[in-house]
Amino acid sequence: MNSIINQKLHALAESDYKIFNERIISTNYKILGIRMPALKKLAKELSAEPDIENYLKDAEYTTYEHILLYGLILGKLKKPSLETVFCYLDPLILKFDNWAHVDTIISALKLFQKYPEEVLAHFLPLKNHEGEFTKRVFVIILMDYFINEVHIDTALKHLPEVPQGQYYVDMAIAWAISVGLIKFYDKTFPLLEQTAFTKFVHNKAIQKARESYRITPETKDRLNEMKIK
């Protein structure tokens, strides 16, 4: 099945889009240049194949798109168990080497919405993992599945505890805090008052929140006053 999938991926590759992706994605993997809608469509088609789990057990990771496809297939599987997703996702996470792998794949795993407690318990060790993109996985999980009415307090507890100082981790934390400010301002704002983050994360979170049309002008002014000089 690997050879068939390789053929399908190469058939979808576009040289112009390859050049574009190479400008915005820093990765050690070869980039083919496949647009996301096409990659998602292929993932949906493959997820319905009766032998798809054989592919998941023995998949190749030769390009940037191979990893994206694998993760997108996990998000499209028909009624998978949470344990099945964990089994295939855990080794995949260790292969992530850029923000797009993390953000695209984690957001595709809608099954996580149904099992937040189990998901948090399973991925909690990533919070202090040495890897830059493994920690980003933890942060994006919090942002995608915990910044809601039920679990916002959990997200705001863990976000300041993620070790800061790595660029793609810091950007993810700032992004998550900005989402918290947009959706749950009264709960999130105290973290800025407590100076719970580095100057970079603190100010970047404020910047991203102030870019939202969902923040009132008065609130934007207040946030601007909270910037660390």
Side-chain angles (χ1 to χ4, degrees):
M1 195 171 189
N2 275 309
S3 60
I4 295 174
I5 289 176
N6 284 338
Q7 292 174 12
K8 290 179 179 291
L9 286 172
H10 281 84
L12 294 172
E14 301 178 27
S15 57
D16 289 348
Y17 195 64
K18 168 184 166 69
I19 294 171
F20 170 76
N21 263 353
E22 287 175 340
R23 290 172 180 161
I24 65 171
I25 305 293
S26 177
T27 178
N28 291 317
Y29 294 97
K30 177 183 177 181
I31 293 177
L32 297 176
I34 303 174
R35 296 181 186 275
M36 192 56 62
L39 206 55
K40 289 181 177 180
K41 181 180 178 182
L42 178 59
K44 184 176 181 179
E45 293 171 356
L46 292 172
S47 69
E49 293 289 335
D51 59 343
I52 190 59
E53 285 211 37
N54 290 330
Y55 166 71
L56 294 175
K57 292 173 183 176
D58 193 32
E60 294 179 356
Y61 304 100
T62 55
T63 70
Y64 161 78
E65 285 88 354
H66 274 87
I67 292 180
L68 285 177
L69 179 66
Y70 190 106
L72 291 171
I73 289 173
L74 287 181
K76 295 292 186 180
L77 291 177
K78 304 299 182 183
K79 298 182 180 179
S81 69
L82 191 60
E83 291 71 22
T84 296
V85 174
F86 287 165
C87 176
Y88 293 126
L89 181 62
D90 286 350
L92 186 70
I93 285 172
L94 299 179
K95 300 180 184 296
F96 293 171
D97 77 343
N98 61 83
W99 61 266
H101 279 161
V102 178
D103 300 4
T104 303
I105 292 173
I106 296 305
S107 67
L109 300 170
K110 303 306 182 186
L111 180 68
F112 286 1
Q113 293 174 342
K114 299 180 180 180
Y115 305 100
E117 289 78 13
E118 293 87 346
V119 167
L120 180 64
H122 183 81
F123 291 109
L124 191 58
L126 297 186
K127 181 167 73 171
N128 292 293
H129 194 276
E130 63 182 0
E132 183 171 9
F133 295 101
T134 45
K135 285 196 287 291
R136 186 177 175 102
V137 166
F138 182 74
V139 175
I140 298 300
I141 286 173
L142 290 178
M143 185 182 77
D144 284 351
Y145 302 109
F146 288 83
I147 299 183
N148 53 52
E149 290 283 354
V150 178
H151 300 103
I152 180 61
D153 291 337
T154 299
L156 296 180
K157 172 187 179 297
H158 287 286
L159 284 170
E161 296 175 354
V162 178
Q164 297 163 55
Q166 293 172 302
Y167 179 78
Y168 288 102
V169 178
D170 290 355
M171 287 295 288
I173 296 172
W175 186 12
I177 292 301
S178 74
V179 173
L181 288 167
I182 293 165
K183 294 184 175 181
F184 301 97
Y185 181 84
D186 291 341
K187 284 182 173 289
T188 307
F189 186 78
L191 289 181
L192 299 182
E193 293 181 308
Q194 296 164 18
T195 318
F197 306 102
T198 63
K199 177 181 177 180
F200 176 84
V201 172
H202 181 101
N203 287 347
K204 184 61 69 172
I206 290 172
Q207 175 192 328
K208 293 181 76 66
R210 293 182 74 248
E211 291 171 354
S212 172
Y213 69 89
R214 296 172 62 185
I215 296 283
T216 66
E218 294 76 16
T219 300
K220 289 182 180 182
D221 289 342
R222 187 182 183 194
L223 286 172
N224 196 45
E225 293 171 358
M226 291 296 296
K227 290 177 65 176
I228 298 174
K229 305 300 184 182

